[in-house]
DNA sequence: AAAATCACG
DNA sequence: ACGTACGTGATTTTC
């Protein structure tokens, strides 16, 4: 047996130390993290330097201890623990658990006593002990086998108190530290000591007489004022000594053998660090992450594919060099069954008719991960995909949409599988990124197909357990293929049109820039909020209405309030508006046009927490529409075939209809059944006026309330959007909820169910976990509550349009139409179509969208068409 | 790499 | 009292 090295940490004391030593850091939710951070830094350092075999963190339990029976004012007069610190203790506990370090506390005893008791036990067993605290009291525990580490100034700076060091520093033995406290007291613990005796006197007395008792035995040797004080306060000195004495026989019920430290739970630690936003530690961890020992994998590299090896069910993986699968290199394919793993180089795949035939065969089941990426990448080599029966990434996303799904290694880690490397480990990152030698590459690729095969049953089991198999198998999985086809098809963009608009805009912008500089009286970078802030709020003396973390806010809503106070404001707003169009939607979009004159976005299907899609490279879900200047960009989105038309169909008020369905609110249901203008109807109910008397201002206010309801309303949010006081907004909301009691009931029950189950669900049983719903932190909890209200609405709407897309693809196929679905923008679908199919589409498209699910209100879809996307209105 | 801003539903 | 509307992505500046 290797000698034990036992680490005993004083949790409370170290947390306090760290808290006061470091500036108040916060994570993105406004939770303070400095104490936890300091504790972590200290712990990391000790773990590295000392390599302990056993660890425990002791905490104080409750407010009173046995010491209060002796002296009721013990620790009296102490400042209450600052709330910024107390909120950190739950995180500290979480952190310690992630390290798989034992925590211990004992009612009626302090952390000191737990440490004292354990250190005595260890000493008697002959084990080495390190005690760590911020409190010098603990130095009394030093012994030949026990060293006491006391933090200095910072938190990682440590002073090591051995028996020798104490002797050198004070001329005392560790036991005499107690006597010193007895004489001089301790202000921080409110231990009185003998008034008038400080460190100097105490040390002198102990040097001469050895102990408090010794001093009093020879009390006659003292004289004058000192003698007087000593005699007067004999009882106080003895009580103080007792208080300062650490109990070394506390009734603890843990044994040292239970404290074995075998390293952290890395996944858990990463999660906790992420939550706390400990970026530097996370990076360091990645850097030093030891290669986990992977089980040996035997695989065969094929130079030719024999059709006989292609089975009815196989895991298939196409390795891609980066995320941009529309253009990146294809590095190879791997195949796996229960018994075998193969790797096939790309040139072999491209020339293998056996593979191509098998791959497009719908009856041969393929188990993949991110099948959409593979579909789109294979499409470029003319290889068709059929029979995708499992998608690891999508399955895992349905199980928990809150995690990130980029690297297969990270995905499967959730399922306890660690035999596949992270891409970054294989390829490197940044400038150093490169394809490694074949042996490394092949093993990596081989492991991916193996991983899919191995993890598939675990994911399927979870999906079954959560009753999400249907959602996964009949919605997300077929949708992946459809999205892949939409992406590969792409959308034609009129390059000349964009370029011309860009030139015109550039001239206009230069003109505005000149005017702004003239108005400001100097040249500066208008795009810099920092420089702009200085100009507006210092030089021009305009009132700074709002601040950001780093300075003045110059956001549009702030500037709009200043309009009219200075000519420069509207110039800046115009400059911003046009600048955005130029940089993002003209220059940015031009860069994304491929050789075929089209843009090929990627719809991320495993990203959002609500179930929506997202669109990147380029983002085609945020092309301007609200303002005319920006809307013109849509003129550049044109059909890819001459004479064809762009077609757009969008759901009308889908989220509020979903709300009506889920809340069963009679008034809301009634409004949609009668196809009323929902904002006008809301205004009529809230303001208690007949429909005909609703003014445009009333409707505008009601519209904002409806938005708020969908977002998980708060008075503050509404007050911001309507520019009214919070109180007025609160009253507004109150009136709304009285008018729509079903909605009120839905909001409450949604939060209740989240609190009870830890998650909320959508129409099609999509799930989102809300870990903060019971948090004691107001911000976190409020956010979770709003999410509990919003996610079922936004998510159900996403479910519905996804199903409509599947129905639509099927219908286009069934009807033998040439019309192509190109884009989805959350509640609308964009197509390109030959004009002769238009009459049919006018009926078909809304019909499919409106009937893809049956709610207790009708769904409504509007249809439009034109020569460009701009004209679909 | 983060913050600020602004485009969309 | 606490400080925020829900969900995204791209660009620019700043550190």
């Amino acid at each position: 047996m290797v000698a034990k090295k036992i680490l005993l940490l004083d949790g409370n004391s170290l947390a306090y130390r760290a808290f006061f030593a470091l500036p108040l850091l916060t994570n993105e939710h406004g939770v303070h993290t400095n104490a936890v951070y300091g504790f972590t830094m200290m712990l990391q350092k000790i773990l590295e330097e000392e390599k302990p075999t056993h660890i425990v963190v002791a905490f104080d339990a409750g407010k009173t201890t046995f010491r209060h029976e002796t002296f009721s004012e013990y620790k009296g007069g102490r400042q209450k623990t600052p709330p910024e610190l107390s909120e950190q203790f739950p995180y500290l506990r979480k952190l310690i658990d992630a390290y798989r370090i034992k925590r211990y506390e004992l009612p009626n005893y302090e952390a000191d006593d737990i440490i004292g008791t354990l250190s005595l036990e260890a000493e008697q067993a002959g084990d080495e002990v390190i005690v760590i605290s911020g409190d010098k009291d603990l130095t009394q525990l030093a012994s030949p086998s026990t060293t006491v580490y006391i933090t200095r100034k910072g938190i990682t700076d440590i002073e090591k108190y051995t028996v020798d060091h104490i002797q050198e520093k004070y001329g005392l033995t560790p036991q005499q530290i107690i006597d010193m406290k007895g004489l001089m007291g301790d202000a921080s613990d409110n231990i009185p000591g003998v008034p008038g005796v400080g460190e100097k006197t105490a040390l002198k007395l102990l040097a001469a007489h050895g102990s408090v008792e010794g001093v009093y035995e020879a009390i006659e040797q003292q004289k004058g004022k000192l003698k007087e004080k000593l005699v007067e306060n004999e009882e106080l000195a003895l009580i103080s000594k007792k208080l300062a004495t650490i109990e070394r026989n506390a009734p603890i019920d843990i044994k040292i053998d239970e404290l074995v430290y075998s390293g952290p739970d890395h996944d858990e630690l990463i999660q906790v660090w992420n939550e706390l936003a400990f970026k530097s530690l996370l990076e360091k961890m990645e850097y030093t992450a030891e290669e986990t020992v992977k089980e040996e994998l035997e695989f065969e590299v094929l130079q030719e594919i024999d059709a006989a090896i292609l089975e009815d069910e196989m895991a298939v993986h196409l390795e891609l060099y980066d995320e941009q699968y529309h253009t990146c290199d294809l590095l190879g394919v791997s195949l796996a069954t229960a018994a075998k793993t193969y790797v096939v180089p790309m040139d072999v795949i491209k020339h293998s008719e056996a593979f191509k035939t098998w791959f497009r065969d719908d009856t041969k089941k393929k188990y993949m991960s991110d099948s959409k990426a593979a579909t789109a990448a294979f499409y470029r080599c003319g290889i068709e995909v059929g029979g995708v029966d499992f998608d690891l990434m999508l399955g895992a996303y349905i199980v928990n949409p809150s995690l990130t799904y980029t690297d297969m290694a990270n995905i499967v880690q959730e399922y306890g599988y660690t035999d596949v490397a992270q891409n970054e480990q294989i390829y490197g990152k940044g400038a150093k990124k490169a394809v490694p030698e074949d042996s490394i590459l092949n093993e990596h690729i081989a492991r991916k197909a193996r991983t899919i095969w191995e993890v598939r049953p675990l994911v399927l089991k979870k999906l079954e357990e959560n009753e999400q198999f249907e959602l996964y198998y009949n919605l997300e999985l077929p949708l992946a293929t459809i999205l892949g086809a939409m992406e590969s098809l792409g959308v034609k963009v009129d390059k000349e049109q964009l370029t011309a608009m860009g030139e015109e805009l550039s001239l206009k912008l230069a003109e505005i820039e000149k005017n702004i500089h003239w108005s400001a009286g100097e040249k500066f970078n208008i795009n810099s909020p920092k420089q702009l802030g200085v100009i507006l709020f210092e030089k021009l003396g305009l009132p700074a209405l709002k601040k950001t973390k780093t300075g003045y806010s110059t956001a549009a809503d702030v500037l709009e309030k200043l309009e009219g106070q200075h000519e420069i404001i509207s110039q800046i707003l115009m400059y911003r508006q046009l600048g955005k169009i130029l940089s993002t939607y003209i220059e940015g979009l031009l860069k994304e046009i491929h050789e075929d004159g089209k843009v090929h976005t990627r719809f991320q299907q495993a990203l959002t927490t609500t179930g929506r899609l997202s669109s990147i490279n380029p983002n085609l879900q945020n092309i301007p529409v609200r303002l005319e200047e920006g809307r013109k960009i849509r003129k550049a989105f044109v059909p890819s075939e001459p004479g064809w038309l762009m077609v757009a169909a969008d759901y009308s008020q889908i989220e509020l209809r979903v709300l009506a369905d889920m809340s069963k609110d009679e008034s809301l249901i009634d409004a949609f059944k009668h196809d009323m203008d929902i904002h006008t109807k809301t205004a009529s109910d809230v303001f208690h006026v007949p429909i005909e008397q609703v003014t445009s201002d009333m409707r505008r206010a009601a519209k904002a309330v409806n938005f708020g309801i969908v977002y998980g309303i708060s008075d503050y949010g509404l007050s911001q959007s309507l520019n009214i006081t919070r109180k007025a907004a609160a009253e507004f909301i109150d009136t709304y909820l009285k008018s729509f009691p079903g909605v009120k009931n839905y909001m409450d029950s949604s939060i209740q169910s989240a609190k009870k189950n830890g998650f909320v669900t959508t129409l099609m049983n999509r799930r989102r976990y809300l870990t903060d719903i019971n948090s004691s932190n107001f911000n976190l909890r409020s956010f979770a509550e709003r999410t509990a209200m919003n996610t079922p609405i936004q998510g159900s709407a996403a479910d519905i349009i996804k199903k409509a897309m599947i129905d639509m693809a099927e219908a286009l196929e069934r009807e033998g139409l040439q019309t192509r679905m190109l884009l989805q923008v959350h509640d609308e679908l964009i197509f390109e179509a030959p004009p002769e199919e238009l009459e049919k589409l006018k009926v078909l498209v809304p019909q499919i969208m409106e009937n893809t699910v049956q709610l207790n209100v009708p769904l409504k879809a509007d249809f439009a068409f034109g020569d460009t996307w701009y004209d679909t209105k």
Side-chain angles (χ1 to χ4, degrees):
Chain A
M1 174 78 201
V2 187
K4 291 175 189 164
K5 189 168 187 178
I6 301 158
L7 205 58
L8 307 174
L9 294 107
D10 183 347
N12 289 76
S13 157
L14 290 169
Y16 263 88
R17 263 305 165 106
F19 179 75
F20 290 110
L22 299 172
L24 268 179
L25 313 162
T26 53
N27 72 356
E28 70 270 31
H29 301 299
V31 177
H32 296 93
T33 58
N34 61 334
V36 190
Y37 184 73
F39 185 91
T40 312
M41 295 303 285
M42 194 275 308
L43 184 59
Q44 284 287 110
K45 189 178 164 192
I46 295 293
L47 289 175
E48 209 169 290
E49 287 177 4
E50 306 290 350
K51 306 213 185 314
T53 59
H54 296 65
I55 313 181
V56 67
V57 183
F59 284 98
D60 300 345
K63 283 188 192 112
T64 59
T65 67
F66 67 92
R67 288 187 179 82
H68 289 88
E69 292 162 22
T70 312
F71 186 64
S72 63
E73 288 103 275
Y74 176 66
K75 292 204 171 174
R78 256 201 188 183
Q79 291 252 316
K80 210 175 115 214
T81 310
E84 294 86 355
L85 174 56
S86 30
E87 72 183 21
Q88 297 188 49
F89 279 102
Y91 292 95
L92 186 58
R93 287 192 283 271
K94 249 177 155 175
L95 176 92
I96 294 166
D97 292 345
Y99 272 102
R100 294 195 297 187
I101 290 173
K102 200 90 172 167
R103 295 185 274 116
Y104 192 72
E105 53 183 46
L106 188 63
N108 217 20
Y109 289 85
E110 291 179 55
D112 297 9
D113 306 311
I114 299 167
I115 291 172
T117 304
L118 284 168
S119 69
L120 182 64
E121 195 184 321
E123 256 169 52
Q124 287 166 348
D127 296 322
E128 186 186 349
V129 176
I130 295 172
V131 171
I132 307 179
S133 176
D135 183 349
K136 282 191 181 139
D137 273 9
L138 278 287
T139 54
Q140 65 183 268
L141 299 178
S143 79
S145 58
T146 302
T147 313
V148 181
Y149 289 13
I150 302 295
T151 56
R152 270 196 296 218
K153 275 186 197 157
I155 177 83
T156 50
D157 189 9
I158 275 165
E159 186 169 6
K160 300 180 181 178
Y161 286 84
T162 57
V163 177
D164 287 348
H165 182 66
I166 294 169
Q167 187 67 43
E168 230 169 82
K169 190 164 174 172
Y170 300 113
L172 299 177
T173 65
Q175 290 71 32
Q176 287 177 311
I177 297 280
I178 309 171
D179 294 280
M180 181 167 81
K181 286 273 151 113
L183 291 169
M184 64 180 275
D186 183 336
S188 72
D189 286 346
N190 208 29
I191 296 178
V194 177
V197 175
E199 185 176 317
K200 285 277 161 56
T201 318
L203 288 175
K204 207 164 68 190
L205 288 168
L206 289 174
H209 307 288
S211 66
V212 174
E213 289 79 5
V215 171
Y216 282 100
E217 271 165 33
I219 190 74
E220 293 310 322
Q221 293 178 20
Q222 307 301 333
K223 48 193 178 203
K225 260 269 180 328
L226 179 61
K227 181 177 179 185
E228 233 172 75
K229 275 187 278 186
L230 282 167
V231 171
E232 237 171 70
N233 295 293
E234 179 169 358
E235 203 186 336
L236 215 46
L238 290 168
I239 288 178
S240 296
K241 178 170 175 180
K242 199 172 166 194
L243 287 173
T245 307
I246 291 174
E247 172 62 51
R248 307 202 70 176
N249 279 301
I252 58 171
D253 54 7
I254 41 164
K255 294 269 157 294
I256 286 179
D257 289 339
E258 295 168 35
L259 309 177
V260 176
Y261 177 67
S262 52
D265 178 335
H266 281 99
D267 297 351
E268 196 61 34
L269 196 55
I270 287 170
Q271 208 186 320
V272 174
W273 283 358
N274 258 318
E275 200 175 335
L276 293 162
F278 290 175
K279 304 234 169 58
S280 56
L281 283 165
L282 281 166
E283 273 167 33
K284 210 168 136 197
M285 170 111 134
E286 261 175 36
Y287 212 64
T288 54
E290 300 150 50
E291 297 243 343
T292 44
V293 184
K294 301 188 177 77
E295 206 173 300
E296 284 270 321
L297 174 67
E298 279 184 26
F299 61 92
E300 199 180 322
V301 181
L302 303 177
Q303 293 309 327
E304 152 175 47
I305 299 176
D306 179 349
I309 67 153
L310 298 170
E311 302 188 16
D312 290 352
E313 297 175 35
M314 281 191 117
V316 188
H317 174 72
L318 168 65
E319 181 71 0
L320 299 166
Y321 188 50
D322 63 43
E323 289 100 65
Q324 181 41 301
Y325 50 74
H326 290 306
T327 52
C328 78
D329 285 343
L330 285 60
L331 300 180
V333 170
S334 55
L335 300 161
T337 61
K340 295 284 288 179
T341 312
Y342 304 102
V343 172
V344 195
M346 223 38 233
D347 51 332
V348 178
I349 286 286
K350 282 180 187 161
H351 297 107
S352 171
E353 286 311 315
F355 178 80
K356 289 183 191 170
T357 306
W358 173 82
F359 203 54
R360 68 169 162 259
D361 186 342
D362 284 333
T363 67
K364 311 288 185 189
K365 291 182 176 172
K366 286 90 185 178
Y367 306 152
M368 309 183 74
S369 189
D370 198 356
S371 58
K372 175 162 68 67
T375 307
F378 272 134
Y379 174 88
R380 288 189 278 139
C381 331
I383 297 174
E384 266 181 78
V385 187
V388 178
D389 192 72
F390 177 75
D391 190 311
L392 175 64
M393 183 182 82
L394 286 181
Y397 168 68
I398 294 306
V399 170
N400 187 353
S402 300
L403 306 177
T404 44
Y405 296 92
T406 44
D407 196 302
M408 192 184 291
N410 297 342
I411 298 173
V412 296
Q413 215 172 40
E414 276 305 300
Y415 295 85
Y417 189 90
T418 52
D419 281 0
V420 60
Q422 296 196 331
N423 286 329
E424 209 175 282
Q425 277 184 3
I426 302 296
Y427 303 110
K429 66 169 175 180
K432 288 183 192 148
K433 189 173 171 183
V435 180
E437 58 173 276
D438 277 0
S439 61
I440 295 174
L441 179 66
N442 285 341
E443 174 170 346
H444 186 52
I445 299 178
R447 283 188 183 278
K448 286 197 173 172
R450 168 78 12 228
T451 302
I452 294 169
W453 184 275
E454 300 295 334
V455 180
R456 174 176 169 264
L458 308 179
V459 175
L460 289 178
K461 182 163 164 262
K462 264 292 194 196
L463 290 167
E464 292 288 359
E465 266 172 34
N466 297 352
E467 297 180 335
Q468 293 180 301
F469 184 78
E470 170 80 15
L471 167 69
Y472 153 76
Y473 194 78
N474 292 328
L475 194 81
E476 297 296 348
L477 199 58
L479 183 67
T481 311
I482 294 167
L483 290 172
M486 290 163 62
E487 294 175 8
S488 295
L489 203 55
V491 186
K492 176 92 173 169
V493 174
D494 185 341
K495 216 171 179 168
E496 284 69 38
Q497 168 107 15
L498 277 185
T499 314
M501 285 174 72
E503 278 164 14
E504 194 185 324
L505 255 187
S506 297
L507 293 175
K508 223 171 180 172
L509 272 166
E511 183 69 25
I512 298 170
E513 186 182 11
K514 217 167 69 189
N515 290 338
I516 291 173
H517 289 161
W518 190 84
S519 298
E522 67 181 283
K523 284 199 169 178
F524 68 101
N525 186 346
I526 305 164
N527 281 320
S528 161
K530 199 178 163 191
Q531 292 179 36
L532 181 60
V534 172
I535 295 286
L536 294 181
F537 306 118
E538 288 175 19
K539 184 164 182 189
L540 301 180
L542 291 162
L545 300 173
K546 207 167 95 182
K547 276 199 282 189
T548 65
K549 267 183 216 166
T550 53
Y552 311 110
S553 170
T554 67
D557 62 325
V558 176
L559 296 189
E560 273 159 21
K561 294 191 178 117
L562 297 173
E563 245 185 323
Q565 292 202 30
H566 198 288
E567 57 175 8
I568 199 171
I569 299 295
S570 42
Q571 293 169 336
I572 288 164
L573 287 168
M574 182 56 73
Y575 181 87
R576 286 250 180 93
Q577 198 197 121
L578 300 183
K580 178 85 179 178
I581 295 169
L582 181 63
S583 68
T584 304
Y585 297 105
I586 294 181
E587 292 168 349
L589 202 55
L590 281 168
K591 284 185 209 142
E592 296 285 351
I593 299 176
H594 292 218
E595 280 175 9
D596 58 2
K598 294 175 171 181
V599 287
H600 298 266
T601 188
R602 276 147 45 227
F603 289 109
Q604 305 211 96
Q605 203 185 343
L607 184 139
T608 71
T609 45
T610 54
R612 276 190 175 181
L613 301 175
S614 97
S615 159
I616 55 170
N617 296 121
N619 181 354
L620 296 182
Q621 292 182 319
N622 72 344
I623 302 299
V625 66
R626 290 171 191 168
L627 300 172
E628 177 57 25
E629 290 92 329
R631 190 176 200 152
K632 290 204 165 70
I633 293 292
R634 295 183 171 221
K635 289 182 191 238
F637 288 83
V638 296
S640 67
E641 306 284 348
W644 282 32
L645 295 162
M646 298 298 283
V647 171
D650 70 302
Y651 279 114
S652 159
Q653 303 296 351
I654 188 166
E655 291 187 334
L656 286 172
R657 286 172 201 260
V658 163
L659 175 62
D661 179 77
M662 294 195 301
S663 69
K664 312 257 184 304
D665 185 277
E666 285 174 26
S667 182
L668 211 49
I669 290 176
D670 188 64
F672 283 121
K673 278 194 171 157
H674 293 92
D675 198 21
M676 296 166 89
D677 176 313
I678 193 62
H679 303 315
T680 306
K681 160 73 174 157
T682 304
S684 150
D685 285 2
V686 172
F687 294 107
H688 305 294
V689 296
I691 295 279
E692 316 74 65
Q693 286 174 31
V694 171
T695 64
S696 63
D697 270 349
M698 288 156 91
R699 185 180 182 278
R700 191 178 58 83
K703 189 174 173 181
V705 175
N706 279 331
F707 266 98
I709 291 294
V710 168
Y711 293 156
I713 196 133
S714 73
D715 49 13
Y716 185 87
L718 183 64
S719 74
Q720 287 300 297
S721 102
L722 278 179
N723 241 326
I724 56 176
T725 65
R726 226 179 68 214
K727 197 156 162 256
E731 279 169 28
F732 221 149
I733 293 165
D734 203 49
T735 322
Y736 175 94
L737 293 173
K738 285 209 175 86
S739 308
F740 297 92
V743 173
K744 163 94 171 103
N745 190 36
Y746 161 78
M747 297 293 173
D748 293 344
S749 64
S750 199
I751 291 171
Q752 279 317 307
S753 127
K755 282 192 191 298
K756 183 164 152 267
N757 303 316
F759 60 84
V760 287
T761 55
T762 67
L763 206 62
M764 302 194 188
N765 222 7
R766 196 182 296 281
R767 195 179 265 207
R768 177 175 180 181
Y769 292 93
L770 298 170
T771 49
D772 295 326
I773 193 79
N774 291 313
S775 169
S776 57
N777 180 299
F778 177 87
N779 281 338
L780 294 178
R781 192 179 62 247
S782 303
F783 182 70
E785 286 172 357
R786 292 196 297 273
T787 314
M789 298 186 260
N790 168 268
T791 295
I793 300 173
Q794 194 183 114
S796 299
D799 292 349
I800 292 170
I801 193 162
K802 281 178 167 178
K803 175 143 191 299
M805 291 171 76
I806 293 170
D807 293 346
M808 190 71 69
E810 211 174 71
L812 292 175
E813 173 94 31
R814 186 185 61 232
E815 303 285 325
L817 296 170
Q818 293 174 267
T819 298
R820 302 161 184 156
M821 185 155 55
L822 299 179
L823 296 175
Q824 186 250 48
V825 191
H826 310 308
D827 66 353
E828 62 177 326
L829 296 175
I830 317 296
F831 308 81
E832 58 182 11
E836 62 272 20
E837 291 178 2
L838 195 62
E839 288 309 309
K840 198 162 191 178
L841 292 175
K842 271 184 187 167
V843 180
L844 183 73
V845 174
Q847 193 251 324
I848 285 174
M849 289 173 73
E850 287 169 3
N851 295 296
T852 191
V853 292
Q854 286 307 312
L855 303 182
N856 59 23
V857 290
L859 284 175
K860 190 179 166 201
D862 295 314
F863 184 91
F865 64 93
D867 289 331
T868 73
W869 192 4
Y870 177 87
D871 302 298
T872 58
K873 55 176 187 186

